[in-house]
Amino acid sequence: MAPFLTLPPAAARANDWRPNQPVKLLVAAAPGGTTDIMARLFGAHLQSRWGSSVVVENKGGGGGTIAGAEVARAAPDMLTLLCSNIGPQSIAYSLFRNLSYKPANFQPVSNIIRTANVLVLHPSVPASTVPEFVAHLRRNPGKLTYGTAGVGQSPHVCGAWFNQLMGTDAAPVHYRGSAPAMLDLMAGNTQFMFDNLSTAIQQIQNGAVKALAVTSAERNPRLPALPALRETMPELAEYEMNSWFGIFAPAGVPRPALQAVNLEIKAMLDTPEARARLSEMAGTAAYGTPEEFTAFVNNEIEKWGAVVRREGVQIDAT
């Protein structure tokens, strides 16, 4: 394998680390969603670079916390990694009363992708704007359901926050990832959901679902006609959520191993193939050093802790 000739000496030495056994990359979601797509992209990259086995294993359930708990207990040898997201690695700490792990159990490695969520409806729902949809919800209290990628995942929090702000009543239906939730929405078994734009964009573009707004502060350049949710009604002026997906290791991993995996994330995101894939998904590459990603995650934990406390939402982990 050709060396990283452009890296400074310290980084080049760190990159000399290689695993001496197969690496297990746990995915905190079911197959098909953004977490899974990023894990498989990175797993294939590592396998091609290292020439050794990288096993990607989906472990959904518990809103992604089951995979997180397993990695938190793993040996700090960099042979067990976690591909996770905003739900189990930030929102969960304040949302769940009895979570089995803490931030200190993890070493954040790097973020990979950031993306907005998007409010999508089954085509049969008689609304084409957010105000029309809110009016429909208010005419039908308790009659509509919305799919989520799991308890405590960002689509769940998006839906709960939206209903709280609008004073509407709709029940969540929880799945082990966004892909099965989207399948049920397209089948008409639920009426709406907040999904990651990165995975919902294909269904939006082919007309399988109807998109009303994105949850980011600004419009997304891939869908410039779609408003930000906060533009649509005064009650939603403060509404903003961006999902993110990154790699975590157990706390205490050796610095050379941490640096090596971090640099491989950067190398992957610098490839034309990865840039094209993220662009297709309406996502933004989000590489950072371990220190930058740790600071980012800590800020997200604090931010969403404040939201959860303000909204008074807490549930038991399953």
Side-chain angles (χ1 to χ4, degrees):
M1 184 180 68
F4 287 103
L5 298 178
T6 58
L7 293 174
R13 285 195 301 273
N15 200 56
D16 287 341
W17 180 86
R18 291 291 182 271
N20 56 11
Q21 297 177 44
V23 170
K24 180 164 67 173
L25 178 53
L26 289 182
V27 186
T34 306
T35 315
D36 178 65
I37 293 169
M38 291 301 104
R40 294 186 184 280
L41 192 67
F42 187 49
H45 171 84
L46 287 180
Q47 196 154 294
S48 68
R49 299 275 284 197
W50 289 345
S52 58
S53 177
V54 178
V55 179
V56 178
E57 180 181 342
N58 294 86
K59 189 152 285 194
T65 64
I66 293 173
E70 182 171 332
V71 173
R73 296 190 301 266
D77 52 15
M78 219 62 183
L79 297 177
T80 304
L81 298 173
L82 172 68
C83 188
S84 194
N85 58 66
I86 183 176
Q89 298 307 130
S90 64
I91 297 170
Y93 293 115
S94 51
L95 184 67
F96 294 121
R97 296 185 187 93
N98 56 337
L99 195 62
S100 64
Y101 56 79
K102 302 176 292 186
N105 295 134
F106 299 97
Q107 169 60 65
V109 181
S110 175
N111 212 346
I112 297 178
I113 182 175
R114 289 194 306 270
T115 184
N117 287 344
V118 59
L119 171 58
V120 289
L121 314 182
H122 186 268
S124 66
V125 177
S128 56
T129 67
V130 172
E132 290 175 1
F133 180 53
V134 170
H136 179 65
L137 284 169
R138 288 173 175 165
R139 287 192 302 268
N140 296 276
K143 295 182 180 179
L144 276 70
T145 57
Y146 64 98
T148 85
V151 176
Q153 292 276 16
S154 67
H156 177 206
V157 175
C158 276
W161 195 12
F162 176 80
N163 281 309
Q164 287 168 350
L165 290 174
M166 303 314 305
T168 49
D169 179 17
V173 180
H174 302 298
Y175 299 83
R176 288 178 175 260
S178 63
M182 177 60 77
L183 286 173
D184 253 14
L185 175 65
M186 292 190 294
N189 296 324
T190 59
Q191 289 72 56
F192 70 104
M193 71 179 290
F194 286 83
D195 194 13
N196 305 139
L197 181 58
S198 49
T199 46
I201 190 167
Q202 181 178 350
Q203 285 75 30
I204 294 168
Q205 291 177 329
N206 67 22
V209 295
K210 182 165 45 176
L212 298 190
V214 291
T215 63
S216 50
E218 308 295 336
R219 298 186 180 207
N220 188 282
R222 285 293 306 276
L223 297 171
L226 198 62
L229 199 64
R230 64 194 304 171
E231 294 177 38
T232 61
M233 298 181 72
E235 300 92 329
L236 298 169
E238 300 303 317
Y239 195 107
E240 180 187 358
M241 175 175 276
N242 291 288
S243 291
W244 49 265
F245 305 80
I247 301 296
F248 294 79
V253 292
R255 181 70 191 187
L258 172 64
Q259 188 72 1
V261 175
N262 173 273
L263 290 173
E264 289 298 349
I265 295 171
K266 184 178 189 300
M268 178 190 74
L269 291 174
D270 284 342
T271 64
E273 295 81 8
R275 289 197 297 267
R277 187 72 177 99
L278 267 59
S279 176
E280 289 172 6
M281 297 170 67
T284 302
Y287 167 78
T289 65
E291 293 75 19
E292 289 168 339
F293 190 36
T294 298
F296 172 81
V297 170
N298 288 339
N299 184 68
E300 288 286 281
I301 292 169
E302 182 177 345
K303 171 184 173 181
W304 291 108
V307 171
V308 169
R309 288 190 296 273
R310 185 176 69 239
E311 301 301 333
V313 179
Q314 248 198 349
I315 56 179
D316 291 323
T318 56

